[in-house]
Amino acid sequence: MTASEEPASFRLAYVPGVMPDKWVRVWHERLPGVPLSLTQVAAAEAGGVLLDGRADAGLVRLPVDRTVLSAIPLYTETTVVVVPKDHLVTAADEVSVADLADEIVLHPLDDVLGWERLPGRPAFERPATTADAVELVAAGIGVLVVPLSLARLHHRKDLTHRPLTDAPTSSVALSWPQDATTDLVEDFIGIVRGRTVNSTRGRRPGPAQEDAERTGAGGAGRKPTAGRQQAGAKAAGARSGGRTGGGKPAGRNPRRGSGGTAKGGGRRGGRRS
């Protein structure tokens, strides 16, 4: 895609639990003329949204189809168990999967942890969404295991959570179609990776930077000032051995002999008889 074909805006998809605010803020500071639109999508739908062109890039949960999508892992979340505030597990700072053996563990259809085998006892039916599962936890039906960000997203005053030490985890990545790595995608990659504005790849310098380069910012291309000319002249004189333009040594008393001293140079004709 050429610069002339580049879209006038950048469309970013993100899945529930991800907070893109800090990166969006940097985007607006660096590219104020390029609007950024946000769209929240279900974790299971994120890949399709990218591939059918509804978003230029997405903050998604791994895994993704690496044959068609590029992905840069950003972070891995802590997994927690969500329980009522008066639940027995709240007595510990963290719990293990074995501690949930006697619990009904809810398994929503939009689960993002990818269990090989769910701990505890299964519920009678699977809730449709994580939000529905949270409501069932509040009703005392069971407990729920989710990434920490989803526990915070669905926070309730009557619920709390504890880290689950040996459970699967969920990783968040920046992803985009492999055949659509535009300059704007590169700009956003630079932002999430913490690059400075001068190190962002794939972008030409802006007008202000080009003007600074033409005028010699940092010393290049500047005309020497009068003070610099004088300093240059003094340096040139020092290199020439300290002689003036007439060839005489600078600063030497012309009345003194070339090799005499104050002691022996002032007597004439030897000793007096």
Side-chain angles (χ1 to χ4, degrees), residues 210-270:
E210 290 178 341
D211 290 344
E213 291 174 353
R214 284 196 297 268
T215 57
R222 291 181 181 173
K223 292 183 178 181
T225 62
R228 288 185 178 182
Q229 290 174 338
Q230 292 175 1
K234 290 180 180 179
R239 288 193 299 270
S240 65
R243 296 182 179 273
T244 63
K248 294 182 179 180
R252 182 175 290 177
N253 187 343
R255 290 178 294 179
R256 263 189 176 176
S258 60
T261 64
K263 183 176 180 180
R267 295 181 179 181
R268 297 192 181 192

Side-chain angles (χ1 to χ4, degrees), residues 83-249:
V83 296
K85 279 193 170 181
D86 58 355
H87 197 281
L88 289 175
V89 304
T90 59
D93 293 332
E94 58 184 25
V95 294
S96 68
V97 168
D99 295 325
L100 305 181
D102 295 329
E103 302 290 339
I104 292 177
V105 178
L106 301 166
H107 191 201
L109 294 175
D110 61 358
D111 173 66
V112 296
L113 292 176
W115 292 94
E116 291 184 5
R117 180 182 177 185
L118 199 69
R121 297 182 292 144
F124 180 71
E125 62 181 3
R126 296 182 65 180
T129 65
T130 297
D132 293 336
V134 169
E135 295 294 327
L136 294 175
V137 174
I141 303 300
V143 301
L144 174 66
V145 180
V146 290
L148 178 58
S149 66
L150 291 180
R152 290 173 173 169
L153 178 65
H154 299 288
H155 172 72
R156 290 174 52 117
K157 292 182 178 180
D158 53 349
L159 300 180
T160 189
H161 56 265
R162 290 292 184 271
L164 193 60
T165 57
D166 50 355
T169 57
S170 176
S171 296
V172 173
L174 174 65
S175 183
W176 66 96
Q178 290 182 359
D179 59 356
T181 308
T182 65
D183 280 347
L184 293 181
V185 170
E186 286 284 4
D187 284 333
F188 198 77
I189 292 171
I191 289 172
V192 299
R193 282 186 160 173
R195 296 181 195 145
T196 64
V197 64
N198 292 327
S199 65
T200 300
R201 290 188 282 174
R203 306 299 287 169
R204 296 185 60 187
Q209 185 176 346
E210 290 178 341
D211 290 344
E213 291 174 353
R214 284 196 297 268
T215 57
R222 291 181 181 173
K223 292 183 178 181
T225 62
R228 288 185 178 182
Q229 290 174 338
Q230 292 175 1
K234 290 180 180 179
R239 288 193 299 270
S240 65
R243 296 182 179 273
T244 63
K248 294 182 179 180

Side-chain angles (χ1 to χ4, degrees), residues 10-82:
F10 185 68
R11 300 162 300 165
L12 180 67
Y14 68 101
V15 297
V18 174
M19 303 296 289
D21 303 26
K22 61 180 179 180
W23 297 314
V24 172
R25 183 171 61 253
V26 176
W27 176 278
H28 290 318
E29 292 171 355
R30 294 189 184 179
L31 293 95
V34 182
L36 187 153
S37 59
L38 289 170
T39 303
Q40 187 178 87
V41 298
E45 298 174 1
V49 169
L50 295 175
L51 291 174
D52 66 15
R54 283 179 283 165
D56 301 301
L59 296 167
V60 305
R61 294 191 181 275
L62 295 177
V64 298
D65 185 352
R66 293 298 188 103
T67 63
V68 289
L69 294 173
S70 296
I72 299 174
L74 300 178
Y75 57 89
T76 298
E77 290 199 66
T78 299
T79 301
V80 300
V81 56
V82 180

